[in-house]
Amino acid sequence: MIDLLPHIINGLTLGLLFALIALGFTLIVGVMEVINLAHGSLFAIGAYFALTVIAGSWFAGTPFGAWWLSLPLGLRYVLALALGPALAGLAGMLLELCLRPTYGKPPLYGLLLTFGAALVIEELIRLVWGTGEQNLALPQAINGAFLLNGMIFSTYRFFAAGFSIAAIIAVWLFLERTSAGAVIKAGAHDSEMVRALGYDLARLRLVVFGFGAALAGLAGVVMVPIWGLRPHVGVDIVIPAFLIIVIGGVGSFWGAVIAALLVGLAIGITGAYAAAWSTMSMYLLLIAILGFRSRGLLGRKSALEN
Amino acid sequence: MISLSDIPARPSAWITPPMIVLALLLLAAPDLLPAVGLYQYLGIEIAIWIGFALGFNLLFGYTGLHSFGHGAYLGIGAYAFGLFQHHVAVSLWGGLLAAVLAAGVAGALVGAFLSHRRGIYYALLTIGFGQIFWFLAMKLHRVTGGEDGLLGIPRPPLTLGPWQLALTDNRTLFYFAAALLMIVVVLCWRLANSPFGRVLQAIRQHETRARFVGYEVWRFKWAVFTLSAMLAGLAGSLLAMAQQSAYPDVMSLHQSGLIVMMVLVGGGLVSFWGPVLGVVFYFVARDVLGGLTETWLLWYGLIFMAMVMLRPEGLAGMLHGLLRRRPALKPTTAPAPATEAA
């Protein structure tokens, strides 16, 4: 008999991280009805930029680089946590500008454009950061492992999971309790009406895309120490994110969170019995759930079905 | 924007002028390619991928069903061909049949599951199934060889009754692939312009309306998915012969996305011949740009993005626009018809 508890805990922490990625994705899908296949690439941009901030590699050998590396690792990590998502957000806004000619056409064009963008970003990452596998240096406080009930747990996993919970709650409060969040939700519901009420729809889309991209970047910085950092990471991560929003129901906030936890659990529990096959479980979960509920767990009718 | 149904055709014709042009180009290719500085093997690759792309476009361009996991059926065909040679008999026709049937069965099963779905859910499920097949190819080490691939696939000789021809030479294999390709071209053309093809286009234009007219839409969606999977399997078996091995990487999402990109860049959404242009453009770009720079995919990606933004009707659409605008240059004719994208 295998002790399942550590696998369930691992699965849940993984699920919380997936939720963080899927949130930005579902926000963009909800407001813009664009399936952003470059979402994983924005995740990668955030993570790679965090790598540069922490290691200071662009300034290596200069006095500035030396001064930078003399700063405490904790401070550099916090800076990376802020600057990585900011840069991913800017990249997302740039992508939104490229997407403008596709509005009003079938959703296929947005999907294809972002697929091309994912290819381009991956190649750019290879050019700038090299092709090898890299790692983020972590501050002592959140690194290492601890013992609980005679089992070893990685401290960082718990830090990352806690961070994700905080971010999920913050995004939910932002959407539910602020007027800007109300406009975003209204934009997802009926963008024509939002425009008729005098809101600048183009700016709303730019901001939402930037915000969603920044969430992807944030997820990148937090998740990469667990998931590993390689140029291909964007494609590796966009598939689970995409799966999650479809399982959860396109455009549904809590659907995405629940689906992310389910996918995390499925991967964790399969990992206990057949580690090599653990990734397969999420596809089987997708097929099982979509077999019964064609719009996912909490999905409603959307323009993307046409 | 122009669409597939707008392009005039002689729907009843078995052979059309572009087919003759293609056949002549294929005949000349083994001598033409080295003459412009490319190598002969490229011709085999292009012929195989054109066949794959044409079958794929029946689904993608004609029916408007966006499969992002079609590389899986190419891979299944390649593995089926190889496994048939290894475990059953070294036979060309048997291998081809096994590949088409295996891909067809896989396509029929997946298609049965998919055909009640629409839009983004359809696209996502194709990704999901594509990833499952890719994953199986990677993990079933004992059957497929895993990441190392299935190696040592022979090129069995071509036998027609008493007559036998060895396909070990790349030039001979190319002509065999080209001959099969011409059959696929004629088949796809006839199918696209048959009543069946008309229903497919009606589904693309308005699925609900097509159902209200009285067609059992899901059966057509299922049939065209199975058919395009079978054609992908045929292409896969040729690929296995060309490479003398089969690898899981043709089944990855990356490769499945590339075929979508090729079809779109070529103009598969507006023309039967779009996929042909797209495949040729991709492979020539790969070899020419790839010779100049390591990061050729970056440039291909940028070209693709610019195309989606500015000219989503692709190369074929641009060509079509040029041909239609020409009469307007004469002062006697009416102003040029608008062909700009809406």
mmCIF file of all heavy atoms in Angstrom, chain B residues 286-315:
data_model
loop_
_atom_site.group_PDB
_atom_site.id
_atom_site.type_symbol
_atom_site.label_atom_id
_atom_site.label_comp_id
_atom_site.label_asym_id
_atom_site.label_seq_id
_atom_site.Cartn_x
_atom_site.Cartn_y
_atom_site.Cartn_z
ATOM 1 N N ARG B 286 12.591 26.844 -45.060
ATOM 2 C CA ARG B 286 13.419 26.164 -44.066
ATOM 3 C C ARG B 286 14.839 25.981 -44.585
ATOM 4 O O ARG B 286 15.803 26.212 -43.869
ATOM 5 C CB ARG B 286 12.814 24.791 -43.740
ATOM 6 C CG ARG B 286 13.516 24.091 -42.583
ATOM 7 C CD ARG B 286 13.064 22.667 -42.464
ATOM 8 N NE ARG B 286 13.585 21.852 -43.555
ATOM 9 C CZ ARG B 286 13.347 20.551 -43.689
ATOM 10 N NH1 ARG B 286 12.572 19.944 -42.832
ATOM 11 N NH2 ARG B 286 13.846 19.860 -44.692
ATOM 12 N N ASP B 287 14.949 25.582 -45.848
ATOM 13 C CA ASP B 287 16.280 25.303 -46.368
ATOM 14 C C ASP B 287 17.054 26.563 -46.713
ATOM 15 O O ASP B 287 18.253 26.641 -46.487
ATOM 16 C CB ASP B 287 16.176 24.379 -47.590
ATOM 17 C CG ASP B 287 16.068 22.943 -47.127
ATOM 18 O OD1 ASP B 287 15.419 22.727 -46.091
ATOM 19 O OD2 ASP B 287 16.641 22.059 -47.772
ATOM 20 N N VAL B 288 16.354 27.565 -47.259
ATOM 21 C CA VAL B 288 17.059 28.786 -47.652
ATOM 22 C C VAL B 288 17.361 29.645 -46.417
ATOM 23 O O VAL B 288 18.511 29.993 -46.153
ATOM 24 C CB VAL B 288 16.229 29.570 -48.692
ATOM 25 C CG1 VAL B 288 16.875 30.914 -48.971
ATOM 26 C CG2 VAL B 288 16.118 28.757 -49.973
ATOM 27 N N LEU B 289 16.313 29.941 -45.616
ATOM 28 C CA LEU B 289 16.546 30.734 -44.396
ATOM 29 C C LEU B 289 17.426 29.950 -43.422
ATOM 30 O O LEU B 289 18.318 30.503 -42.783
ATOM 31 C CB LEU B 289 15.222 31.075 -43.710
ATOM 32 C CG LEU B 289 14.356 32.153 -44.337
ATOM 33 C CD1 LEU B 289 13.064 32.314 -43.547
ATOM 34 C CD2 LEU B 289 15.089 33.474 -44.371
ATOM 35 N N GLY B 290 17.180 28.635 -43.340
ATOM 36 C CA GLY B 290 17.947 27.801 -42.414
ATOM 37 C C GLY B 290 19.426 27.771 -42.770
ATOM 38 O O GLY B 290 20.278 27.616 -41.898
ATOM 39 N N GLY B 291 19.741 27.952 -44.064
ATOM 40 C CA GLY B 291 21.134 28.020 -44.463
ATOM 41 C C GLY B 291 21.776 29.333 -44.065
ATOM 42 O O GLY B 291 22.980 29.421 -43.858
ATOM 43 N N LEU B 292 20.949 30.383 -43.943
ATOM 44 C CA LEU B 292 21.473 31.714 -43.631
ATOM 45 C C LEU B 292 21.585 31.942 -42.128
ATOM 46 O O LEU B 292 22.515 32.583 -41.657
ATOM 47 C CB LEU B 292 20.562 32.802 -44.230
ATOM 48 C CG LEU B 292 20.460 32.809 -45.753
ATOM 49 C CD1 LEU B 292 19.413 33.822 -46.205
ATOM 50 C CD2 LEU B 292 21.817 33.153 -46.352
ATOM 51 N N THR B 293 20.597 31.446 -41.381
ATOM 52 C CA THR B 293 20.572 31.764 -39.960
ATOM 53 C C THR B 293 20.101 30.570 -39.141
ATOM 54 O O THR B 293 19.279 29.777 -39.600
ATOM 55 C CB THR B 293 19.657 32.980 -39.674
ATOM 56 O OG1 THR B 293 19.277 32.934 -38.310
ATOM 57 C CG2 THR B 293 18.424 32.969 -40.540
ATOM 58 N N GLU B 294 20.633 30.451 -37.933
ATOM 59 C CA GLU B 294 20.236 29.375 -37.022
ATOM 60 C C GLU B 294 18.775 29.545 -36.586
ATOM 61 O O GLU B 294 18.091 28.590 -36.296
ATOM 62 C CB GLU B 294 21.111 29.427 -35.766
ATOM 63 C CG GLU B 294 22.548 29.012 -35.992
ATOM 64 C CD GLU B 294 22.773 27.577 -35.569
ATOM 65 O OE1 GLU B 294 22.468 27.255 -34.417
ATOM 66 O OE2 GLU B 294 23.240 26.785 -36.408
ATOM 67 N N THR B 295 18.338 30.793 -36.502
ATOM 68 C CA THR B 295 17.027 31.069 -35.918
ATOM 69 C C THR B 295 15.985 31.298 -36.994
ATOM 70 O O THR B 295 15.209 32.225 -36.927
ATOM 71 C CB THR B 295 17.086 32.316 -35.035
ATOM 72 O OG1 THR B 295 17.613 33.379 -35.845
ATOM 73 C CG2 THR B 295 17.963 32.104 -33.840
ATOM 74 N N TRP B 296 15.967 30.393 -37.973
ATOM 75 C CA TRP B 296 15.049 30.632 -39.084
ATOM 76 C C TRP B 296 13.592 30.541 -38.648
ATOM 77 O O TRP B 296 12.735 31.218 -39.202
ATOM 78 C CB TRP B 296 15.333 29.655 -40.219
ATOM 79 C CG TRP B 296 14.733 28.316 -40.015
ATOM 80 C CD1 TRP B 296 15.257 27.292 -39.314
ATOM 81 C CD2 TRP B 296 13.465 27.886 -40.488
ATOM 82 N NE1 TRP B 296 14.407 26.234 -39.312
ATOM 83 C CE2 TRP B 296 13.293 26.565 -40.024
ATOM 84 C CE3 TRP B 296 12.462 28.478 -41.257
ATOM 85 C CZ2 TRP B 296 12.156 25.845 -40.305
ATOM 86 C CZ3 TRP B 296 11.336 27.751 -41.531
ATOM 87 C CH2 TRP B 296 11.190 26.451 -41.062
ATOM 88 N N LEU B 297 13.322 29.747 -37.609
ATOM 89 C CA LEU B 297 11.928 29.625 -37.166
ATOM 90 C C LEU B 297 11.390 30.947 -36.643
ATOM 91 O O LEU B 297 10.208 31.242 -36.737
ATOM 92 C CB LEU B 297 11.808 28.565 -36.076
ATOM 93 C CG LEU B 297 11.309 27.197 -36.505
ATOM 94 C CD1 LEU B 297 11.257 26.256 -35.330
ATOM 95 C CD2 LEU B 297 9.925 27.297 -37.158
ATOM 96 N N LEU B 298 12.304 31.763 -36.084
ATOM 97 C CA LEU B 298 11.915 33.110 -35.641
ATOM 98 C C LEU B 298 11.368 33.904 -36.817
ATOM 99 O O LEU B 298 10.315 34.525 -36.740
ATOM 100 C CB LEU B 298 13.134 33.796 -35.038
ATOM 101 C CG LEU B 298 12.985 35.257 -34.626
ATOM 102 C CD1 LEU B 298 12.079 35.382 -33.432
ATOM 103 C CD2 LEU B 298 14.332 35.863 -34.318
ATOM 104 N N TRP B 299 12.092 33.838 -37.932
ATOM 105 C CA TRP B 299 11.665 34.608 -39.111
ATOM 106 C C TRP B 299 10.399 34.028 -39.708
ATOM 107 O O TRP B 299 9.504 34.759 -40.104
ATOM 108 C CB TRP B 299 12.801 34.658 -40.142
ATOM 109 C CG TRP B 299 13.988 35.325 -39.549
ATOM 110 C CD1 TRP B 299 15.133 34.740 -39.099
ATOM 111 C CD2 TRP B 299 14.109 36.722 -39.240
ATOM 112 N NE1 TRP B 299 15.961 35.672 -38.548
ATOM 113 C CE2 TRP B 299 15.369 36.897 -38.617
ATOM 114 C CE3 TRP B 299 13.290 37.828 -39.429
ATOM 115 C CZ2 TRP B 299 15.813 38.136 -38.174
ATOM 116 C CZ3 TRP B 299 13.732 39.064 -39.001
ATOM 117 C CH2 TRP B 299 14.978 39.209 -38.383
ATOM 118 N N TYR B 300 10.323 32.674 -39.752
ATOM 119 C CA TYR B 300 9.107 32.067 -40.286
ATOM 120 C C TYR B 300 7.920 32.452 -39.402
ATOM 121 O O TYR B 300 6.843 32.782 -39.905
ATOM 122 C CB TYR B 300 9.269 30.547 -40.342
ATOM 123 C CG TYR B 300 8.093 29.849 -40.974
ATOM 124 C CD1 TYR B 300 7.903 29.893 -42.342
ATOM 125 C CD2 TYR B 300 7.163 29.164 -40.196
ATOM 126 C CE1 TYR B 300 6.827 29.266 -42.926
ATOM 127 C CE2 TYR B 300 6.083 28.539 -40.776
ATOM 128 C CZ TYR B 300 5.921 28.589 -42.139
ATOM 129 O OH TYR B 300 4.841 27.973 -42.710
ATOM 130 N N GLY B 301 8.129 32.452 -38.092
ATOM 131 C CA GLY B 301 7.071 32.845 -37.168
ATOM 132 C C GLY B 301 6.622 34.276 -37.405
ATOM 133 O O GLY B 301 5.428 34.580 -37.391
ATOM 134 N N LEU B 302 7.591 35.161 -37.640
ATOM 135 C CA LEU B 302 7.235 36.571 -37.884
ATOM 136 C C LEU B 302 6.469 36.713 -39.197
ATOM 137 O O LEU B 302 5.481 37.452 -39.275
ATOM 138 C CB LEU B 302 8.502 37.432 -37.904
ATOM 139 C CG LEU B 302 9.121 37.680 -36.528
ATOM 140 C CD1 LEU B 302 10.466 38.384 -36.667
ATOM 141 C CD2 LEU B 302 8.182 38.519 -35.658
ATOM 142 N N ILE B 303 6.915 35.986 -40.232
ATOM 143 C CA ILE B 303 6.184 36.031 -41.511
ATOM 144 C C ILE B 303 4.755 35.558 -41.289
ATOM 145 O O ILE B 303 3.787 36.168 -41.759
ATOM 146 C CB ILE B 303 6.878 35.132 -42.568
ATOM 147 C CG1 ILE B 303 8.238 35.699 -42.928
ATOM 148 C CG2 ILE B 303 6.012 34.980 -43.810
ATOM 149 C CD1 ILE B 303 9.055 34.794 -43.839
ATOM 150 N N PHE B 304 4.635 34.462 -40.522
ATOM 151 C CA PHE B 304 3.312 33.903 -40.265
ATOM 152 C C PHE B 304 2.431 34.916 -39.526
ATOM 153 O O PHE B 304 1.270 35.124 -39.882
ATOM 154 C CB PHE B 304 3.466 32.625 -39.441
ATOM 155 C CG PHE B 304 2.165 32.034 -38.985
ATOM 156 C CD1 PHE B 304 1.373 31.335 -39.867
ATOM 157 C CD2 PHE B 304 1.746 32.193 -37.681
ATOM 158 C CE1 PHE B 304 0.176 30.789 -39.456
ATOM 159 C CE2 PHE B 304 0.545 31.652 -37.259
ATOM 160 C CZ PHE B 304 -0.231 30.951 -38.151
ATOM 161 N N MET B 305 2.998 35.576 -38.496
ATOM 162 C CA MET B 305 2.202 36.558 -37.739
ATOM 163 C C MET B 305 1.749 37.696 -38.646
ATOM 164 O O MET B 305 0.589 38.118 -38.600
ATOM 165 C CB MET B 305 3.022 37.117 -36.574
ATOM 166 C CG MET B 305 3.102 36.189 -35.392
ATOM 167 S SD MET B 305 4.144 36.862 -34.080
ATOM 168 C CE MET B 305 3.065 38.127 -33.400
ATOM 169 N N ALA B 306 2.671 38.186 -39.485
ATOM 170 C CA ALA B 306 2.320 39.278 -40.395
ATOM 171 C C ALA B 306 1.207 38.831 -41.341
ATOM 172 O O ALA B 306 0.270 39.575 -41.632
ATOM 173 C CB ALA B 306 3.546 39.704 -41.182
ATOM 174 N N MET B 307 1.289 37.578 -41.783
ATOM 175 C CA MET B 307 0.285 37.036 -42.694
ATOM 176 C C MET B 307 -1.092 36.998 -42.022
ATOM 177 O O MET B 307 -2.086 37.386 -42.626
ATOM 178 C CB MET B 307 0.718 35.610 -43.043
ATOM 179 C CG MET B 307 0.331 35.165 -44.381
ATOM 180 S SD MET B 307 1.625 35.571 -45.528
ATOM 181 C CE MET B 307 1.033 34.717 -46.935
ATOM 182 N N VAL B 308 -1.145 36.510 -40.779
ATOM 183 C CA VAL B 308 -2.433 36.427 -40.088
ATOM 184 C C VAL B 308 -3.001 37.828 -39.895
ATOM 185 O O VAL B 308 -4.199 38.053 -40.025
ATOM 186 C CB VAL B 308 -2.278 35.711 -38.727
ATOM 187 C CG1 VAL B 308 -3.588 35.732 -37.964
ATOM 188 C CG2 VAL B 308 -1.839 34.286 -38.944
ATOM 189 N N MET B 309 -2.117 38.795 -39.602
ATOM 190 C CA MET B 309 -2.613 40.149 -39.343
ATOM 191 C C MET B 309 -3.078 40.830 -40.613
ATOM 192 O O MET B 309 -4.097 41.492 -40.641
ATOM 193 C CB MET B 309 -1.492 40.978 -38.706
ATOM 194 C CG MET B 309 -1.362 40.783 -37.219
ATOM 195 S SD MET B 309 -0.265 42.010 -36.523
ATOM 196 C CE MET B 309 1.294 41.199 -36.673
ATOM 197 N N LEU B 310 -2.281 40.689 -41.693
ATOM 198 C CA LEU B 310 -2.531 41.518 -42.871
ATOM 199 C C LEU B 310 -3.201 40.762 -44.007
ATOM 200 O O LEU B 310 -4.053 41.295 -44.695
ATOM 201 C CB LEU B 310 -1.201 42.106 -43.372
ATOM 202 C CG LEU B 310 -0.398 42.836 -42.302
ATOM 203 C CD1 LEU B 310 0.982 43.184 -42.805
ATOM 204 C CD2 LEU B 310 -1.143 44.087 -41.854
ATOM 205 N N ARG B 311 -2.808 39.503 -44.220
ATOM 206 C CA ARG B 311 -3.300 38.758 -45.387
ATOM 207 C C ARG B 311 -3.718 37.360 -44.974
ATOM 208 O O ARG B 311 -3.083 36.382 -45.357
ATOM 209 C CB ARG B 311 -2.167 38.660 -46.429
ATOM 210 C CG ARG B 311 -1.893 39.942 -47.156
ATOM 211 C CD ARG B 311 -2.579 39.933 -48.498
ATOM 212 N NE ARG B 311 -2.543 41.255 -49.085
ATOM 213 C CZ ARG B 311 -3.644 41.945 -49.402
ATOM 214 N NH1 ARG B 311 -4.832 41.429 -49.173
ATOM 215 N NH2 ARG B 311 -3.557 43.125 -49.942
ATOM 216 N N PRO B 312 -4.795 37.250 -44.214
ATOM 217 C CA PRO B 312 -5.154 35.904 -43.734
ATOM 218 C C PRO B 312 -5.564 34.961 -44.854
ATOM 219 O O PRO B 312 -5.667 33.757 -44.628
ATOM 220 C CB PRO B 312 -6.309 36.162 -42.766
ATOM 221 C CG PRO B 312 -6.801 37.506 -43.091
ATOM 222 C CD PRO B 312 -5.696 38.273 -43.713
ATOM 223 N N GLU B 313 -5.777 35.483 -46.059
ATOM 224 C CA GLU B 313 -6.122 34.563 -47.150
ATOM 225 C C GLU B 313 -4.883 33.924 -47.771
ATOM 226 O O GLU B 313 -5.001 33.129 -48.698
ATOM 227 C CB GLU B 313 -6.993 35.256 -48.198
ATOM 228 C CG GLU B 313 -6.369 36.398 -48.963
ATOM 229 C CD GLU B 313 -6.479 37.728 -48.241
ATOM 230 O OE1 GLU B 313 -6.522 37.749 -47.001
ATOM 231 O OE2 GLU B 313 -6.504 38.771 -48.922
ATOM 232 N N GLY B 314 -3.696 34.279 -47.260
ATOM 233 C CA GLY B 314 -2.490 33.541 -47.611
ATOM 234 C C GLY B 314 -1.980 33.759 -49.017
ATOM 235 O O GLY B 314 -2.463 34.621 -49.756
ATOM 236 N N LEU B 315 -0.977 32.975 -49.387
ATOM 237 C CA LEU B 315 -0.347 33.114 -50.706
ATOM 238 C C LEU B 315 -1.369 32.941 -51.826
ATOM 239 O O LEU B 315 -1.391 33.716 -52.777
ATOM 240 C CB LEU B 315 0.761 32.073 -50.869
ATOM 241 C CG LEU B 315 1.971 32.208 -49.961
ATOM 242 C CD1 LEU B 315 2.900 31.020 -50.157
ATOM 243 C CD2 LEU B 315 2.706 33.500 -50.263
#
